[in-house]
Amino acid sequence: MICAISGEVPEEPVLSKKSGLLFERRLIERYIADYGKCPVTKEELTMDDILPVKTNKVVKPRPLQAASIPGLLGMFQNEWDALMLSNFALEQQLHTARQELSHALYQHDAACRVIARLKKERDEARILLAQAERQIPSSIASAANANNIVSNGKRAAEEELGPDGKRIRPGINPAMIAELTECNAMLSGQRKKRQISPTLAPIDALERYTQISSHPLHKTNKPGIVSVDIHPSKDIIATGGIDTNAVVFDRSAGQIICTLTGHSKKVTSVKFVPRDELFISGSGDKTVRVWQGTEDGNYNCRHILKDHSAEVQAVTVHATHKYFVTAALDNTWCFYDLATGSCLSQVGEASGEEGYTSAAFHPDGLILGTGTSEALVRIWDVKSQSNVAKFDGHVGAVTALSFSENGYFLATAALDGVKLWDLRKLRNFRSFTPYDSDTPTNSVEFDYSGNYLAIAGSDARVYQVASVKMEWNQIKTLADLSGTGKVTCVKFGADAKYMAVGSMDRNLRIFGLPGDGPEEPRSPDH
């Protein structure tokens, strides 16, 4: 009798009650422990179903093949052949498994590629759709919007909404991030080698600055200039007024180039974009407008952006001149593609408790600074849109902030004055309190060289920029000549050769050396 498992004569034979098969005791015990069933019939089997078989202990005779050397060689050859056949079968199984795995991986990779292509096509379609919607004439858009009214009085959603009810944004894709990173590396390298311009206005010149011209740009019945910007390569100044208009002004000619109308509330922020002669305006009417310059000097509205749900407080343009950010009192900031006017990312939670009151890009473009109505300054990583630092200590809303071109100074303004921050150590190293506790500081601005700092409140003051440890000396105080007691905005011209100052009257004032300015025009009232 032989074992049903090993095929050899068992040394300690046992018998199954259920199947009557003979087994080697040690083999069947191990099999039952592992599987709990008969190895031949596959029936349930326990050790209680096994009976020992009593046999006489006899010496097993030597097999006939082992009685001679040729017989032994034949046994070894048979065992070798069996081993080779078993090995070949295993190799065949391994090859088949590898082929199946390779095929599965190929299918997975192909599926991932299809999904990525479909996502890309979806994002491109969304951008094209948004661009097409913004290019529809306002009259047609108004008629279309009239049909999109839902029961709660709000306009029906024009973009796809996520599970949380928010608009789905395409996001800043890897190609854009690579572009931003490349721009950052280039500008950082140039900054280390940059020399101060030999034509920069010296300190003694700023000490002698006085008003050289005053230009009535805005309406008499709604006076007040709340924002100003200067074209980086042309002698052109833009102002945003409470009268809902933005005005583009030629300083050298002393004439208004064009008045941009369309906003329904005050224009809170204006920015020139030298690339493609674009101009951006943000307003209290919750919208942002992108204007395209024409050959005759006028500007046509190219995009009307309505992604914010509260007053837009600030617009800042990225160093590539391809992207810009808007910040609003709805506690969100939006990152836009300038060419298409599409909002790529909207960061923050819509809230009525806190809102953004100011924003500015770092000169290298990978950092964004925002000021809030709750006296907090936030520093953001543009690539990940994550908040990487917070500066507190101000009192009242942060009305303005400005990064120095040296790359590591940040100036912020609020009700309690101006604070200077060292971005290398993330700490406040100096504070100015130029006005009384009831007079907020409305504007703060470094000049392009990083040598001068201007502050605006009840007047305008200019400081000489020094190091962290050295004193920043006040160079000049420019009195408010509007009679309103409130200077709202200030901007340095090229090489700090002049300063453009806005107040709560309708006049743009130019301060510089006597004799440097053009003759004051006799513009009629608006």
Side-chain angles (χ1 to χ4, degrees):
M1 299 290 288
I2 61 174
C3 173
I5 296 177
S6 64
E8 298 181 356
V9 177
E11 295 179 358
E12 189 178 356
V14 292
L15 190 68
S16 171
K17 292 180 182 179
K18 293 184 177 181
S19 62
L21 295 173
L22 188 70
F23 300 100
E24 178 71 57
R25 184 180 186 87
R26 59 184 174 79
L27 295 179
I28 193 63
E29 282 181 349
R30 182 176 298 176
Y31 194 90
I32 290 175
D34 291 341
Y35 302 104
K37 58 179 67 176
C38 175
V40 178
T41 63
K42 305 301 180 184
E43 296 178 347
E44 297 293 329
L45 192 65
T46 65
M47 290 304 297
D48 295 336
D49 300 322
I50 299 299
L51 295 175
V53 177
K54 294 183 178 180
T55 58
N56 294 328
K57 298 290 183 180
V58 295
V59 178
K60 292 191 292 184
R62 178 181 296 177
L64 183 61
Q65 295 89 340
S68 64
I69 291 177
L72 288 172
L73 292 176
M75 288 176 58
F76 293 152
Q77 182 66 50
N78 291 337
E79 290 182 6
W80 174 260
D81 292 343
L83 180 62
M84 290 298 101
L85 290 173
S86 176
N87 186 60
F88 177 75
L90 288 175
E91 287 184 348
Q92 289 289 98
Q93 293 175 2
L94 177 61
H95 179 68
T96 303
R98 281 178 173 172
Q99 284 185 325
E100 292 175 352
L101 178 60
S102 175
H103 184 64
L105 290 174
Y106 175 79
Q107 287 182 324
H108 179 267
D109 183 62
C112 290
R113 289 175 181 272
V114 170
I115 292 171
R117 179 174 56 80
L118 291 175
K119 284 185 175 180
K120 181 180 178 182
E121 291 177 354
R122 181 201 64 185
D123 294 342
E124 290 175 350
R126 282 178 178 165
I127 292 174
L128 291 174
L129 177 61
Q131 184 178 1
E133 287 177 347
R134 292 189 176 97
Q135 290 175 346
I136 296 175
S138 57
S139 59
I140 299 178
S142 300
N145 290 338
N147 297 324
N148 287 335
I149 303 299
V150 292
S151 58
N152 61 1
K154 297 182 179 179
R155 191 180 62 178
E158 297 176 358
E159 299 182 14
E160 185 176 347
L161 300 180
D164 55 358
K166 299 177 182 178
R167 295 180 183 178
I168 298 176
R169 307 296 187 185
I172 304 176
N173 63 42
M176 294 176 182
I177 291 176
E179 185 179 22
L180 300 181
T181 305
E182 182 181 356
C183 176
N184 171 268
M186 181 186 67
L187 293 176
S188 298
Q190 291 176 352
R191 179 167 292 106
K192 296 176 182 178
K193 303 175 183 178
R194 196 179 71 171
Q195 301 293 325
I196 297 176
S197 171
T199 57
L200 179 69
I203 295 176
D204 61 344
L206 268 75
E207 290 175 342
R208 293 184 288 124
Y209 275 10
T210 184
Q211 179 177 309
I212 56 177
S213 63
S214 177
H215 310 277
L217 305 184
H218 290 270
K219 294 180 180 179
T220 307
N221 59 346
K222 290 184 178 181
I225 296 174
V226 292
S227 56
V228 65
D229 193 32
I230 299 176
H231 197 289
S233 59
K234 299 179 180 180
D235 202 2
I236 296 176
I237 303 173
T239 60
I242 292 179
D243 62 359
T244 74
N245 294 333
V247 177
V248 180
F249 175 74
D250 186 337
R251 188 185 78 96
S252 58
Q255 295 180 348
I256 294 176
I257 297 176
C258 62
T259 299
L260 310 181
T261 61
H263 287 295
S264 59
K265 293 185 179 180
K266 64 181 179 180
V267 178
T268 55
S269 184
V270 290
K271 290 293 177 183
F272 282 108
V273 185
R275 177 177 172 267
D276 299 331
E277 289 301 319
L278 297 173
F279 178 76
I280 307 171
S281 60
S283 171
D285 63 7
K286 309 177 187 179
T287 69
V288 177
R289 290 178 179 247
V290 179
W291 307 80
Q292 174 71 65
T294 59
E295 293 181 358
D296 58 2
N298 289 321
Y299 284 83
N300 297 324
C301 185
R302 182 172 174 181
H303 302 298
I304 303 176
L305 313 177
K306 302 179 181 179
D307 298 288
H308 287 292
S309 58
E311 181 176 316
V312 178
Q313 289 280 292
V315 175
T316 178
V317 180
H318 189 267
T320 57
H321 297 158
K322 294 182 180 180
Y323 311 101
F324 69 96
V325 161
T326 61
L329 291 178
D330 60 3
N331 199 30
T332 68
W333 58 268
C334 293
F335 186 94
Y336 286 96
D337 182 343
L338 191 54
T340 62
S342 58
C343 179
L344 302 178
S345 180
Q346 187 166 14
V347 181
E349 297 293 332
S351 168
E353 300 176 359
E354 182 182 277
Y356 292 116
T357 51
S358 54
F361 270 115
H362 185 274
D364 292 342
L366 286 187
I367 294 176
L368 175 73
T370 57
T372 72
S373 57
E374 300 296 320
L376 190 64
V377 178
R378 299 178 187 269
I379 304 298
W380 302 83
D381 178 351
V382 176
K383 294 190 293 184
S384 61
Q385 300 101 63
S386 58
N387 186 199
V388 294
K390 295 179 182 178
F391 298 147
D392 53 17
H394 269 301
V395 175
V398 179
T399 54
L401 50 85
S402 176
F403 287 96
S404 171
E405 278 292 324
N406 65 18
Y408 46 81
F409 287 163
L410 169 64
T412 58
L415 178 63
D416 57 344
V418 172
K419 292 185 181 294
L420 299 171
W421 310 87
D422 186 344
L423 297 177
R424 297 165 296 184
K425 298 182 179 180
L426 299 178
R427 69 181 183 89
N428 170 224
F429 67 89
R430 183 164 279 99
S431 298
F432 299 123
T433 53
Y435 312 113
D436 60 57
S437 59
D438 295 327
T439 304
T441 304
N442 301 310
S443 180
V444 63
E445 184 80 21
F446 283 102
D447 80 307
Y448 180 72
S449 71
N451 280 16
Y452 303 118
L453 176 72
I455 295 173
S458 58
D459 54 29
R461 305 187 183 193
V462 182
Y463 291 80
Q464 180 185 8
V465 174
S467 63
V468 172
K469 296 182 179 180
M470 295 181 66
E471 191 66 28
W472 292 40
N473 297 319
Q474 182 176 335
I475 300 172
K476 181 70 175 178
T477 298
L478 305 173
D480 173 34
L481 301 178
S482 69
T484 63
K486 186 175 182 181
V487 179
T488 55
C489 48
V490 61
K491 193 82 174 178
F492 283 100
D495 290 329
K497 293 292 180 62
Y498 69 92
M499 295 173 60
V501 177
S503 303
M504 286 306 290
D505 65 349
R506 61 193 290 255
N507 295 303
L508 171 69
R509 289 177 171 81
I510 307 298
F511 289 83
L513 288 176
D516 285 356
E519 293 185 5
E520 188 169 334
R522 298 291 184 265
S523 298
D525 288 349
H526 285 237

